[in-house]
Amino acid sequence: MSFKVKDHYYNKAKKENYLARSVYKLEEINNKYNILNKNMQVLDLGYYPGSWTQYASKVILPGGKLVGIDIQEVNKKIQTIENVTVFQKDINDVKSLSELGVEEKFDALISDMAPKTTGIKSVDQARSMQLVEMVFYHLPNFLKSGGNFVIKVFDSHEAQLYLKEQKSLFEQFNYLKPKSTRSVSKEFFAIGKGYKGE
Ligand SMILES: C[S@@+](CC[C@H](N)C(=O)[O-])C[C@H]1O[C@@H](n2cnc3c(N)ncnc32)[C@H](O)[C@@H]1O
């Protein structure tokens, strides 16, 4: 999926044993905003195939743990990482922390989820917004007060308006289009630090 375009980042990911080129998006976000730190408990939504998981699980060592979910069948390669647990689950069906095998809320929530695209702009934008709204809906249950947040968003007028309304949930809220994002892509990332919710 993520290795379709064989560009510089594709080759770099192959060489560095990452499962997808998307890793460089999270790396750039983290270098700039310091979202992930050692010993954090992290929730990785739409983790498959797992390059964000590979990167984040290293940054949070020695004491941190990562839980990932995706609708895809569990990636066995990722399951072998010691501080990682992954589940085959749809974000729309997750109701509680206990389903994710944890009792406490997470220190950071990262979401690279994207719907399968149809090529029909209005349909793709609506599906993407539904996922974004679902993640924000879950924030009070999944993210600790003071926690950090990254979410992929497909740009649209509706998305801009929606994010503007959510901004005050965080001490700091920023947008970034990482260098490794293809120039034709409409995606960008919203990055929140210091969650003010319960
Ligand atoms: C761009 S990929 C993630 C790449 C990943 N971050 C990496 O670095 O390897 C987006 C993922 O979102 C997942 N996804 C889409 N809808 C979902 C949903 N409703 N619940 C959970 N995962 C979902 C897709 O299955 C897909 O694997």
Side-chain angles (χ1 to χ4, degrees):
M1 168 198 59
S2 309
F3 280 132
K4 270 186 224 154
V5 178
K6 298 193 172 180
D7 63 0
H8 164 72
Y9 291 105
Y10 166 90
N11 290 320
K12 188 166 153 70
K14 278 248 145 165
K15 210 164 126 197
E16 294 177 357
N17 283 321
Y18 281 114
L19 289 162
R21 68 194 289 297
S22 349
V23 65
Y24 302 110
K25 301 175 194 171
L26 182 61
E27 186 185 62
E28 185 179 335
I29 292 166
N30 197 44
N31 286 343
K32 185 153 186 191
Y33 294 106
N34 196 28
I35 292 297
L36 302 167
N37 284 298
K38 60 181 178 181
N39 303 330
M40 276 186 165
Q41 310 290 309
V42 177
L43 179 59
D44 182 0
L45 299 175
Y47 81 86
Y48 190 94
S51 75
W52 280 29
T53 313
Q54 289 174 299
Y55 172 82
S57 64
K58 275 190 272 186
V59 175
I60 61 177
L61 287 172
K65 290 204 165 63
L66 183 148
V67 176
I69 70 159
D70 202 289
I71 47 179
Q72 305 273 354
E73 213 167 285
V74 161
N75 184 349
K76 296 205 173 71
K77 265 192 205 159
I78 285 294
Q79 234 177 355
T80 59
I81 305 175
E82 210 182 319
N83 59 344
V84 169
T85 312
V86 286
F87 297 99
Q88 181 176 17
K89 276 184 192 293
D90 186 323
I91 186 64
N92 297 297
D93 301 332
V94 178
K95 302 272 179 294
S96 65
L97 281 173
S98 61
E99 278 177 63
L100 303 174
V102 296
E103 283 167 14
E104 281 189 25
K105 294 182 196 180
F106 293 91
D107 301 302
L109 189 160
I110 56 179
S111 173
D112 193 26
M113 281 193 299
K116 266 209 176 113
T117 47
T118 62
I120 305 164
K121 199 172 152 196
S122 57
V123 174
D124 293 342
Q125 278 179 351
R127 287 189 185 166
S128 161
M129 268 317 291
Q130 189 274 333
L131 282 177
V132 169
E133 286 177 22
M134 186 48 76
V135 174
F136 275 95
Y137 167 82
H138 279 307
L139 278 188
N141 297 325
F142 291 166
L143 189 61
K144 266 185 199 160
S145 176
N148 297 336
F149 178 65
V150 176
I151 188 167
K152 175 153 80 187
V153 181
F154 286 94
D155 202 5
S156 67
H157 182 59
E158 195 193 354
Q160 294 283 350
L161 287 179
Y162 181 79
L163 290 175
K164 218 170 163 184
E165 282 168 17
Q166 312 306 317
K167 226 176 149 153
S168 60
L169 290 173
F170 293 89
E171 301 286 349
Q172 280 179 44
F173 201 70
N174 293 286
Y175 303 138
L176 184 76
K177 182 158 182 160
K179 290 190 190 78
S180 56
T181 297
R182 295 183 186 108
S183 53
V184 290
S185 172
K186 296 265 284 173
E187 79 179 25
F188 69 95
F189 292 83
I191 299 125
K193 285 197 78 172
Y195 180 53
K196 293 193 223 159
E198 287 295 297

